[in-house]
Amino acid sequence: MQFNLIDQKWIPVKRRDGTAEDIAPWELTSGFTENPVLSLNAPRPDFNGALIQFLIGLMQTLTPPISRTEWKQKLANPPGPGELESKFAVARHAFELGGRGPKFMQDIEDIESEPGPIHRLFIDSPGENTLKNNADLFVKRSHTASICPSCAAMALLTMQINAPSGGQGYRTSLRGGGPLTTLVLGDGKLDTLWHIVWLNLIEKAKFLDLCDGAKTSPSDQFPWLARTKPKTTAMDIHPAQLFWAMPRRIRLNFDDLSSGVCTVCSRQSDLLISRYREKNKGTEYVAPVKHPLSPYDARKGKAVLGKRGGVHYRHWLGLVISDPGVGIEPAAVVHEFIEGGRLQHDCQFRIWAFGYDMDNMKARGWHEARMPLIEAAPHVKGEYEPHVFSMVKAADQVAKNLRDAVKRAWFRRPGDVKQGVAFLDRAFWQNTEHAFYGSLHSLKTALESGGSVLSAAEEWLSSLCGGALALFDVHAWNGPIEDADPKRVVIARNDMDKFNRGKKIKEMLGLPVQKQSKARTDKRKGPAD
């Protein structure tokens, strides 16, 4: 079966007028002036996440910006489809999904293991033990029997990018099992698919410095062109392999193709694939390896992984600005955008964060979020970032106070109770998110205009206290009926609010603390003391 991923129209997209179609990669800029490609339109959100990385990787590998000037010029005036086609043609031999030669992201050796059903190629497909024990509660057993070449390519790409632990010798992805990806998005005049791709490219010289840019063998870029290496480091590969890493040894089975409807995208195809082969001992990418699209955890020497409960402004530290306290730094593309002079103040930029939340081999969920990228002017950046750091840390403390207060309202001896209140965390961060971005805008405006930041801090403190009280009032009366005590609920509420408005939180936010006379000082400890 011949199915070349450079030549074929296999990437599902939507144009500005709402038209859905499939394009070849080099058609990314087709109709750019009159009806541009606006977004990806894959049948699954994790496929969209893999496809955007495919397009970014293709551009970064084969036609990266040479300079900041070129980057700015092509952001507004992209190359035409013909130019992209000629650039991509250099590597078309590496992008055959089938055929007799090397196959895209598949082991070059003929794997002799027993073929398995194609649905196991999907990360959220339950394993054998889960099925045997009828324990597929979150991830239901799949009825995916056969898929078209387009969906097969997307599934293969998604697995290699996100590969979780899979048993002895079944390697996780280059970034770990279920890495978090963060991309820069634009609004308004910079909202097309071309803009998403180009906004997230690094200048060629900087990209080559990520690994060993002097590696010249094609297999240093595209590892499926040679025999699988059992182990490799960042300095053993060309940086392009950061996008094309192949930790899993997989071969799609093209011997028994059939005709019918793809059970993923529901389209008719005469090339349906129903089985694949896999074996262990793929390439182990030895830490540290920094991927340009993922925030980096220096403590673990690898990318930050997907977050349980999703991504909220609580993760601003590390996703947008460095969090030295825990050793997390933003992805290279985010850092380059902010520090490399790319920020334009006539456009609202955002961060698109997405990834799997993995529990070892099991996918608990797929999460993605879009957050406004609010960045202050360079001359006040040194003041802005510490204030943002304090805002997030204060919110974290108030969230803890809320959890403790609800447990004290519910239970006579809260320290002895292990009942979780994690749902309060999720609700608190979600409910205060809009206020956070509003306070960031106020902070940014105050610093850039030379005004006082106290009003922004007071605004944020009011939002935190109000958000905590609102959630307390909803949940505090829902504790175990046998342990109910209205007086205890009232005391817990008052203590929480007093502590949230007290010295510790105010000092975090740089707000003045009013001194109290010794006689009036309440010596009762706060909920987080």
Side-chain angles (χ1 to χ4, degrees):
M1 183 197 82
Q2 296 294 133
F3 194 91
N4 190 282
L5 300 181
I6 299 296
D7 299 338
Q8 294 285 339
K9 296 176 183 287
W10 67 282
I11 299 177
V13 298
K14 276 191 177 180
R15 294 192 177 272
R16 189 177 295 282
D17 67 357
T19 301
E21 63 178 272
D22 291 349
I23 63 168
W26 52 268
E27 293 179 301
L28 176 63
T29 58
S30 63
F32 184 76
T33 303
E34 61 277 7
N35 189 23
V37 175
L38 204 62
S39 62
L40 292 163
N41 189 37
R44 292 168 50 112
D46 55 344
F47 284 6
N48 282 331
L51 284 174
I52 192 62
Q53 293 179 77
F54 175 89
L55 292 170
I56 292 170
L58 205 58
M59 293 290 297
Q60 186 72 74
T61 301
L62 301 175
T63 178
I66 303 300
S67 64
R68 184 187 300 179
T69 300
E70 183 189 15
W71 182 87
K72 287 185 176 180
Q73 289 173 343
K74 289 187 175 178
L75 183 64
N77 301 292
E83 182 179 342
L84 290 180
E85 185 176 20
S86 64
K87 295 282 189 182
F88 295 170
V90 175
R92 70 179 303 279
H93 64 284
F95 287 83
E96 288 287 355
L97 188 66
R100 294 184 177 275
K103 300 171 180 61
F104 174 75
M105 282 199 165
Q106 298 168 70
D107 203 272
I108 198 168
E109 298 181 53
D110 192 14
I111 295 174
E112 296 181 355
S113 63
E114 189 68 23
I118 196 68
H119 73 77
R120 291 184 187 170
L121 191 56
F122 294 78
I123 288 177
D124 58 351
S125 176
E128 289 184 22
N129 287 336
T130 303
L131 293 174
K132 187 184 301 181
N133 297 329
N134 196 32
D136 47 330
L137 301 178
F138 169 71
V139 180
K140 291 300 180 183
R141 61 194 69 203
S142 176
H143 297 291
T144 303
S146 51
I147 59 178
C148 66
S150 175
C151 288
M154 288 185 259
L156 183 62
L157 184 66
T158 302
M159 173 58 80
Q160 298 287 23
I161 288 174
N162 299 285
S165 58
Q168 187 174 8
Y170 287 90
R171 309 300 185 193
T172 60
S173 84
L174 174 142
R175 291 178 265 177
L180 186 68
T181 298
T182 53
L183 304 179
V184 177
L185 302 180
D187 280 335
K189 63 182 181 179
L190 301 177
D191 65 349
T192 71
L193 188 57
W194 161 257
H195 292 122
I196 299 176
V197 172
W198 196 251
L199 282 168
N200 291 284
L201 298 187
I202 298 174
E203 292 166 28
K204 183 176 181 179
K206 294 179 181 179
F207 180 65
L208 292 178
D209 284 342
L210 293 179
C211 298
D212 187 353
K215 293 284 186 181
T216 57
S217 169
S219 63
D220 289 325
Q221 295 187 11
F222 309 112
W224 56 89
L225 299 180
R227 293 172 65 90
T228 296
K229 295 180 181 179
K231 185 176 292 189
T232 191
T233 69
M235 297 316 296
D236 295 327
I237 60 175
H238 187 281
Q241 194 172 150
L242 296 173
F243 290 98
W244 311 114
M246 201 176 72
R248 294 295 186 91
R249 304 184 69 181
I250 293 170
R251 294 269 292 200
L252 299 178
N253 191 340
F254 301 106
D255 295 335
D256 55 355
L257 301 177
S258 61
S259 297
V261 175
C262 172
T263 44
V264 173
C265 68
S266 301
R267 297 186 187 183
Q268 182 72 31
S269 175
D270 294 328
L271 301 171
L272 293 178
I273 303 164
S274 59
R275 304 183 76 76
Y276 80 107
R277 290 182 170 85
E278 183 174 10
K279 66 180 299 184
N280 62 358
K281 298 184 179 178
T283 299
E284 178 185 358
Y285 291 88
V286 181
V289 180
K290 289 189 178 183
H291 193 286
L293 304 184
S294 285
Y296 181 74
D297 187 337
R299 298 169 304 173
K300 299 178 180 178
K302 64 181 182 180
V304 172
L305 302 183
K307 304 289 187 179
R308 188 166 192 176
V311 180
H312 305 289
Y313 75 89
R314 70 182 301 179
H315 305 112
W316 187 271
L317 304 179
L319 299 192
V320 179
I321 62 176
S322 295
D323 187 349
V326 295
I328 295 178
E329 60 189 60
V333 292
V334 177
H335 180 271
E336 178 66 16
F337 185 81
I338 295 173
E339 304 294 339
R342 294 183 174 187
L343 196 63
Q344 301 175 26
H345 293 285
D346 60 343
C347 180
Q348 175 61 67
F349 292 96
R350 294 169 293 153
I351 295 292
W352 178 19
F354 57 83
Y356 271 107
D357 166 26
M358 300 299 304
D359 180 13
N360 291 321
M361 302 182 192
K362 184 176 68 175
R364 286 187 292 230
W366 170 267
H367 299 292
E368 54 183 285
R370 288 169 169 81
M371 303 180 289
L373 179 52
I374 303 167
E375 186 61 25
H379 71 281
V380 297
K381 186 177 178 62
E383 294 179 78
Y384 174 75
E385 290 192 354
H387 281 294
V388 177
F389 182 89
S390 298
M391 289 171 65
V392 176
K393 292 302 181 183
D396 192 57
Q397 181 64 62
V398 172
K400 181 181 185 304
N401 296 345
L402 170 63
R403 294 195 306 270
D404 292 346
V406 169
K407 290 189 75 170
R408 287 201 317 279
W410 280 0
F411 305 109
R412 188 174 294 104
R413 297 174 61 86
D416 297 340
V417 178
K418 295 184 179 180
Q419 181 172 337
V421 286
F423 66 92
L424 285 171
D425 258 8
R426 291 191 293 272
F428 177 79
W429 292 105
Q430 288 171 355
N431 292 0
T432 55
E433 188 157 28
H434 181 74
F436 174 74
Y437 297 127
S439 294
L440 274 194
H441 271 296
S442 299
L443 172 65
K444 172 181 179 295
T445 301
L447 287 171
E448 291 177 348
S449 64
S452 171
V453 301
L454 290 182
S455 60
E458 289 169 350
E459 174 187 322
W460 182 230
L461 177 61
S462 176
S463 297
L464 292 177
C465 294
L469 284 174
L471 284 170
F472 183 94
D473 290 343
V474 168
H475 296 286
W477 301 97
N478 297 330
I481 190 67
E482 68 275 7
D483 212 13
D485 184 342
K487 181 179 179 181
R488 194 174 63 235
V489 173
V490 173
I491 292 174
R493 185 184 195 275
N494 291 339
D495 284 352
M496 178 192 73
D497 192 50
K498 185 172 183 177
F499 189 81
N500 287 345
R501 298 178 190 274
K503 179 180 177 181
K504 183 174 183 178
I505 305 297
K506 283 185 175 180
E507 286 182 342
M508 280 185 180
L509 295 173
L511 289 169
V513 178
Q514 187 175 15
K515 291 184 178 180
Q516 294 179 316
S517 65
K518 188 173 182 180
R520 295 185 59 191
T521 300
D522 188 342
K523 295 184 179 180
R524 185 190 296 133
K525 288 187 175 182
D529 283 357

